[in-house]
Amino acid sequence: QSHYVACMATILSQMDKDHYSTYIQAFPSRPELMDFLMETFILFKDLIGKTVYPCDWVVMNMVQNREFLRAINHFATTLTEMFLSNSDFELQLWNNYFHLAVAFLTQDSLQLENFSPAKRNSILAKYGDMRATIGASIRDMWYNLGRRKIEFIPGMVGPILEMTLVPELELRSSTIPIFFDMMLCEHQLTGSFSRFEDEILRRLDSEVEGGRGDEQYMQLFKSILLNCCQSHPELAKPGEDFVELVSGLLERLMDYRAVMNDENKTYSMSCTVNLLNFYKEIDRQAMYIRYLYKLKDLHISYENYTEGAYTLLLHARLLTWSEEPNAAPVPSPHGPHLHTQRQLKEALYNQIIEYFDQGKMWEEAIHICKELAEQYENHVFDYEMLSDILQREAKFYEKILKVLRPSPDYFAVGYYGQGFPTFLRNKVFIYRGKEYERREDFEMQLLSPFPNAEKLKSTSPPGRDITDSPGQYIQCFTVQPAEEAKVRLKGRSIPEQITNFYKANHVQRFSYSRPFKRGPNDPDNEFANMWIERTIFTTAYPLPGILRWFVVTSTEMTTISPLENAIETMMKTNEKIMSEINRHQNDPSLPVNPLSMLLNGIVDPAVMGGFTKYEKAFFQESYMQEHTEDAGNIEKLKDLIAWQIPLLAEGIRIHGQKVTEDLRPFHERMEQCFEQLRAKVESQYGVREMMFFEDRRSGRPRSIAWVPDWDRLSHAGARQAPPTPKPSPRPSESEDRRNERKENRSSSIFGAWRHDPRQSISELPEPKDEKWRLSCNMSESSLSSDGKQPSPSRPAAAAQPSAAGSSLSPTGFGGRVKSASKLPPLPRKISPAVYETFLEQSDA
């Protein structure tokens, strides 16, 4: 074949202009000439595409290209003279010419920027840049078409775009105006240039991803087209919008291309999301779906199953439960076999459920199961599939309660300096860490794509000297989810496995607290002037989502006073005690060491100092006179201190049951410290007694819920008692066993005091003071004037149920507030029937 090409090049080199004219005129008829030109164009294009000579045979390649160029230009003259008029115009012949000319211009052997400087200069000196020559010929041939141009739109948009992307300034400057001519031609005929716009957006995606296009091209494209549009008032505004659209796409495509081959695909995912969001905004569904699946594949390759599920869910939400055909092609192995939207949506939902299961996002999987169950039950009546999906849903509920799910850590990461790509430059992101991921490991992965970046040691926002510098600076620190508790979870007693999920997921606001000192320094009490500067970061979307990170869209900064800081610290400590107690009640096999450390750190003054420093800082008469506005918060802090006592009591009781003989002296010392602490707190701040009651629907004791409200630092609310069930027949033996299993695996914060659900009212001791038993909140003001009521034992009083459920204190606990005066004891076991009687009387 190389010999054949060499012979052809030799023959062509012997022909001059007269030879070409004589040969063309020798054809007896116009159809025969047209067939010759058609076959010649196809032959030349085929030879150019095959590159019969090795790439280092530069001279042979250049000689061949020089002769082909001469022949193409002679044939172009023939086209203009004989096949351009209305009666003689041949669309296919002209189309073949344009494709041949573009293929010649874009062939590898003519891309001089790929050669060494010496070789490039030698080629230019002997042959010149043939790309500029053929480019000028293509431009002239296009303008010669006149009114026929519309017939080449949008077919010629791709080849012309490919030509303008060749990195040669003169060529780009002379050929980019062809785009404006296409816009003008279509606009004059149809009133818009939508076909041209759709095609150039589609072709730009593949061309830039393939390695073509650069910053120079984007700037030339903008300046040339804007200048052209300004000369035509009817195209000024739509033309400007189009240029901005293409510029935005080019910027995102070049960012994507820059990171797509990196080993660390973190930033490829960000650029992919930028692109799919762009295509969604401009309503290009096919391209949007294409990048959705690219993103999904990236996530699955990194085992980001949760993010992969959310990504697929975006496509599933575009589909309907109908028999309509799929509108856009699906780049999926199942795509060709799923013809209707219902089939595709069902397949996607099943894949999404699997991904959510692998990512331990069972709450999300349950939502998808419910939607599928609705279709199977009420629309397609496929009860076999309904049974299957309900069984899967039941397993997810079981996993929520039984499988350990560690809460993820969140990290704020700032990329500062002009050395970063545009999609990172001077922006802050919130990242969702993986299970048990340490910040040190996370930072190491973060810095790997930027070996020259410097890690900032301060967590404060950097100044202009950093953001405007040419370098790269990365800031990383841990943040906490700051979302308020879900409305439907507030004021309810809900298992910790459920509430923990909502505390760490579907979060869009995150907080970072930085302590600082203000005012005179007190070396003996650091709490007195310990202020907190709290920054709230709000992300563009909730986490988790289609990425493991999202950009911060707004920040708020507030200052927390030392007293408010003390209240928050006490709230968190009480929550921690309650959480640890519930964990041990739910799983008696847990090791006791974490509970030991927690309790001892609070009750032993030698370890943490107890509440003494709070009392010295805020409870002194001098402080209260100087800060009269803090009176309410001081009462809240006292209330929190008082409510910690019954929590500690229950924790120490559990600790005493589980402690080994070797640690018995340690436990006894802790008990002694606690008794001293209890006597002091109860004498100064009153007695608090926690309330509990069992869930009559399942026989499972309920944990005490405490939902803090960080904004108001107040937790007032009322616990709602469960509705009174109707009398039911005695359960069967199998139901008894099921209830017994539920009783054995469940507990509450006061789970030691269990009752027999089948015990009748007659088996219980007669209550002595019905009126007192129905009260829900007891204080000194509610006692009799003489105060001569006898004292109950503490466990019995703690087991006292309230007729109205229980009243929450200002700090959110359910139970009774009373003075140190004691009240008569009540039986430890209360049957559901008695409790229902209390509720009925309370309602009355």
Side-chain angles (χ1 to χ4, degrees):
Q1 190 176 20
S2 60
H3 179 70
Y4 168 76
V5 173
C7 291
M8 176 182 287
T10 303
I11 294 172
L12 292 175
S13 67
Q14 301 300 315
M15 296 178 66
D16 57 19
K17 184 178 181 180
D18 293 335
H19 289 132
Y20 277 104
S21 298
T22 303
Y23 187 77
I24 293 296
Q25 293 171 5
F27 283 94
S29 65
R30 187 172 170 278
E32 290 176 316
L33 174 60
M34 186 178 71
D35 290 343
F36 164 74
L37 291 174
M38 194 82 74
E39 292 173 2
T40 303
F41 292 162
I42 294 173
L43 173 64
F44 280 13
K45 190 172 185 294
D46 185 54
L47 293 175
I48 290 169
K50 287 184 177 178
T51 59
V52 295
Y53 299 119
C55 60
D56 56 347
W57 288 24
V58 178
V59 175
M60 290 300 298
N61 280 319
M62 289 302 169
V63 169
Q64 171 192 308
N65 287 331
R66 181 181 62 189
E67 300 311 323
F68 280 2
L69 178 59
R70 288 178 63 239
I72 292 170
N73 285 336
H74 281 300
F75 296 147
T77 303
T78 304
L79 277 180
T80 305
E81 293 175 351
M82 303 185 65
F83 297 95
L84 183 58
S85 63
N86 290 337
S87 57
D88 299 327
F89 185 76
E90 292 293 340
L91 176 64
Q92 189 58 49
L93 188 59
W94 277 82
N95 199 54
N96 283 6
Y97 163 78
F98 282 122
H99 280 85
L100 167 63
V102 172
F104 178 85
L105 187 149
T106 56
Q107 64 177 301
D108 291 338
S109 60
L110 289 183
Q111 310 313 310
L112 301 183
E113 63 276 358
N114 297 330
F115 295 111
S116 66
K119 188 175 290 186
R120 181 165 61 246
N121 293 332
S122 175
I123 293 171
L124 288 172
K126 190 171 184 178
Y127 303 100
D129 193 342
M130 287 181 257
R131 297 176 300 179
T133 305
I134 191 66
S137 177
I138 293 171
R139 180 196 59 203
D140 295 340
M141 293 291 283
W142 171 263
Y143 287 119
N144 287 337
L145 287 171
R147 293 185 296 107
R148 296 284 184 178
K149 296 173 187 174
I150 192 64
E151 299 180 43
F152 294 87
I153 303 172
M156 278 304 298
V157 173
I160 298 297
L161 175 64
E162 189 178 353
M163 175 180 65
T164 63
L165 286 168
V166 171
E168 206 284 315
L169 181 60
E170 182 183 349
L171 174 65
R172 287 175 169 178
S173 300
S174 64
T175 54
I176 286 178
I178 296 176
F179 290 140
F180 174 75
D181 198 56
M182 290 179 167
M183 295 164 57
L184 183 61
C185 178
E186 186 181 352
H187 188 273
Q188 289 174 342
L189 189 68
T190 64
S192 70
F193 46 87
S194 57
R195 288 194 301 166
F196 165 77
E197 181 181 295
D198 290 343
E199 184 66 11
I200 199 170
L201 292 176
R202 187 179 68 84
R203 294 300 294 265
L204 258 179
D205 188 276
S206 58
E207 294 292 339
V208 177
E209 186 178 349
R212 301 178 180 89
D214 50 32
E215 186 72 22
Q216 182 203 62
Y217 180 81
M218 184 170 68
Q219 297 303 325
L220 272 177
F221 186 93
K222 289 176 66 174
S223 60
I224 291 175
L225 284 188
L226 284 176
N227 288 335
C228 292
C229 290
Q230 289 171 1
S231 61
H232 290 74
E234 71 276 13
L235 280 179
K237 185 60 172 71
E240 183 180 348
D241 294 340
F242 168 73
V243 170
E244 289 301 317
L245 185 69
V246 173
S247 299
L249 177 59
L250 275 171
E251 184 177 326
R252 290 167 174 82
L253 286 171
M254 288 189 290
D255 284 342
Y256 174 75
R257 185 183 65 192
V259 297
M260 63 183 292
N261 295 320
D262 290 350
E263 291 184 7
N264 189 332
K265 297 297 182 183
T266 298
Y267 303 105
S268 297
M269 296 176 189
S270 288
C271 293
T272 304
V273 169
N274 290 341
L275 275 169
L276 66 86
N277 284 337
F278 176 85
Y279 284 122
K280 182 180 181 180
E281 290 171 5
I282 65 174
D283 196 24
R284 299 301 192 278
Q285 189 176 106
M287 299 303 297
Y288 172 70
I289 292 174
R290 176 172 177 252
Y291 278 94
L292 274 180
Y293 280 85
K294 283 189 175 186
L295 179 63
K296 185 268 295 184
D297 293 338
L298 281 173
H299 279 312
I300 300 308
S301 67
Y302 276 74
E303 298 183 353
N304 297 340
Y305 296 111
T306 297
E307 289 72 22
Y310 280 119
T311 303
L312 275 187
L313 193 58
L314 290 179
H315 183 203
R317 297 302 190 201
L318 296 176
L319 304 171
T320 61
W321 294 109
S322 68
E323 304 305 320
E324 297 179 11
N326 295 319
V330 181
S332 165
H334 307 294
H337 311 294
L338 304 173
H339 304 292
T340 68
Q341 293 196 28
R342 177 182 293 277
Q343 292 173 336
L344 179 56
K345 188 163 186 169
E346 181 179 358
L348 287 176
Y349 269 16
N350 280 289
Q351 185 66 71
I352 290 166
I353 291 172
E354 183 178 337
Y355 285 157
F356 275 139
D357 186 15
Q358 291 174 287
K360 298 183 180 179
M361 294 288 288
W362 300 304
E363 287 82 354
E364 298 298 289
I366 287 170
H367 291 317
I368 306 299
C369 288
K370 289 182 183 297
E371 190 169 344
L372 279 175
E374 165 70 15
Q375 291 296 315
Y376 294 146
E377 182 176 9
N378 299 321
H379 297 275
V380 297
F381 301 100
D382 190 335
Y383 286 1
E384 186 176 354
M385 294 300 297
L386 175 62
S387 171
D388 178 68
I389 201 67
L390 290 177
Q391 290 180 52
R392 295 177 73 182
E393 185 179 342
K395 289 180 181 178
F396 294 146
Y397 280 114
E398 187 175 3
K399 286 182 175 181
I400 289 173
L401 293 176
K402 290 188 175 182
V403 178
L404 176 64
R405 278 191 299 182
S407 297
D409 288 329
Y410 288 94
F411 308 101
V413 180
Y415 298 88
Y416 299 106
Q418 301 300 313
F420 286 111
T422 53
F423 67 92
L424 295 175
R425 188 179 304 155
N426 292 329
K427 294 180 180 178
V428 180
F429 297 81
I430 301 296
Y431 284 68
R432 184 175 189 261
K434 295 188 175 183
E435 287 187 2
Y436 304 111
E437 185 172 25
R438 299 187 311 155
R439 187 164 65 90
E440 293 77 10
D441 299 334
F442 174 76
E443 287 180 354
M444 188 177 300
Q445 295 180 4
L446 199 68
L447 292 168
S448 61
F450 305 106
N452 298 322
E454 179 181 341
K455 183 178 179 297
L456 295 176
K457 296 181 180 179
S458 171
T459 59
S460 301
R464 297 291 296 274
D465 57 324
I466 297 293
T467 58
D468 295 343
S469 70
Q472 296 177 338
Y473 300 88
I474 292 181
Q475 185 182 66
C476 179
F477 50 90
T478 304
V479 294
Q480 303 299 325
E483 285 294 281
E484 292 186 4
K486 303 297 178 184
V487 174
R488 67 191 185 95
L489 302 183
K490 277 191 174 182
R492 297 191 179 191
S493 178
I494 297 173
E496 193 178 21
Q497 300 94 319
I498 298 174
T499 57
N500 283 349
F501 172 82
Y502 292 102
K503 289 178 182 178
N505 295 278
H506 307 304
V507 186
Q508 199 167 353
R509 298 173 73 246
F510 302 85
S511 70
Y512 174 74
S513 299
R514 186 178 66 86
F516 68 97
K517 297 293 183 68
R518 178 188 293 179
N521 188 26
D522 185 355
D524 297 328
N525 193 346
E526 68 276 13
F527 296 105
N529 59 351
M530 180 66 72
W531 292 72
I532 300 293
E533 180 187 82
R534 176 161 300 154
T535 305
I536 301 294
F537 301 96
T538 303
T539 55
Y541 307 97
L543 283 164
I546 61 174
L547 282 177
R548 295 195 73 89
W549 56 92
F550 286 119
V551 67
V552 172
T553 56
S554 67
T555 58
E556 306 170 24
M557 190 172 293
T558 57
T559 302
I560 308 298
S561 70
L563 178 57
E564 292 170 334
N565 180 34
I567 291 174
E568 287 191 8
T569 303
M570 284 298 302
M571 285 179 175
K572 291 176 182 177
T573 303
N574 289 358
E575 274 193 320
K576 201 169 185 180
I577 302 171
M578 182 179 294
S579 173
E580 194 68 20
I581 291 171
N582 284 333
R583 287 178 65 246
H584 281 272
Q585 290 286 7
N586 291 330
D587 187 359
S589 64
L590 287 175
V592 76
N593 290 349
L595 182 62
S596 302
M597 296 174 61
L598 175 63
L599 297 176
N600 192 56
I602 297 171
V603 303
D604 191 344
V607 180
M608 296 294 289
F611 317 117
T612 306
K613 292 189 176 182
Y614 286 157
E615 293 172 336
K616 290 180 179 179
F618 310 116
F619 296 171
Q620 301 298 323
E621 189 66 29
S622 58
Y623 180 90
M624 290 187 285
Q625 290 178 356
E626 292 177 8
H627 303 84
T628 55
E629 72 281 359
D630 287 345
N633 281 339
I634 290 175
E635 291 305 314
K636 290 173 188 175
L637 182 56
K638 291 179 178 179
D639 197 43
L640 284 165
I641 294 173
W643 277 113
Q644 195 172 88
I645 296 303
L647 289 173
L648 291 172
E650 179 63 14
I652 290 174
R653 186 189 65 79
I654 295 174
H655 188 270
Q657 292 177 345
K658 302 181 69 172
V659 73
T660 60
E661 288 302 319
D662 295 340
L663 293 177
R664 181 62 59 182
F666 167 79
H667 176 76
E668 291 175 354
R669 165 164 172 75
M670 190 162 61
E671 280 187 326
Q672 293 173 1
C673 292
F674 172 67
E675 288 303 326
Q676 295 174 5
L677 183 67
R678 180 178 4 212
K680 172 188 173 183
V681 171
E682 290 184 350
S683 64
Q684 293 182 3
Y685 310 124
V687 179
R688 307 293 191 274
E689 293 180 349
M690 303 300 297
M691 289 296 303
F692 87 102
F693 56 87
E694 299 198 12
D695 188 343
R696 289 163 293 140
R697 294 168 294 182
S698 63
R700 178 173 60 84
R702 302 295 298 273
S703 302
I704 294 179
W706 184 34
V707 183
D709 185 339
W710 302 116
D711 293 334
R712 292 190 302 253
L713 296 175
S714 173
H715 309 270
R719 182 185 303 275
Q720 299 296 324
T724 304
K726 295 180 179 179
S728 57
R730 179 181 177 84
S732 63
E733 185 178 351
S734 61
E735 289 175 342
D736 282 345
R737 286 198 299 269
R738 190 182 306 120
N739 290 334
E740 183 179 355
R741 287 198 302 271
K742 290 181 181 179
E743 173 71 14
N744 290 336
R745 73 167 182 262
S746 59
S747 64
S748 78
I749 188 168
F750 293 109
W753 299 309
R754 301 179 182 274
H755 70 257
D756 184 353
R758 288 166 292 189
Q759 188 176 10
S760 67
I761 299 178
S762 60
E763 297 172 326
L764 296 173
E766 186 65 21
K768 298 180 180 179
D769 189 348
E770 188 70 22
K771 181 178 179 180
W772 172 78
R773 199 180 322 168
L774 294 177
S775 69
C776 64
N777 197 357
M778 185 66 89
S779 64
E780 290 185 4
S781 60
S782 62
L783 296 175
S784 62
S785 58
D786 56 4
K788 295 181 180 179
Q789 291 165 311
S791 302
S793 63
R794 275 195 178 92
Q800 163 64 30
S802 166
S806 69
S807 175
L808 291 181
S809 79
T811 49
F813 284 106
R816 295 188 303 117
V817 182
K818 64 175 186 175
S819 70
S821 300
K822 305 303 179 182
L823 297 170
L826 285 177
R828 293 188 177 187
K829 294 183 178 180
I830 304 295
S831 74
V834 172
Y835 189 67
E836 290 162 15
T837 304
F838 292 164
L839 293 178
E840 291 170 1
Q841 294 177 357
S842 175
D843 291 341

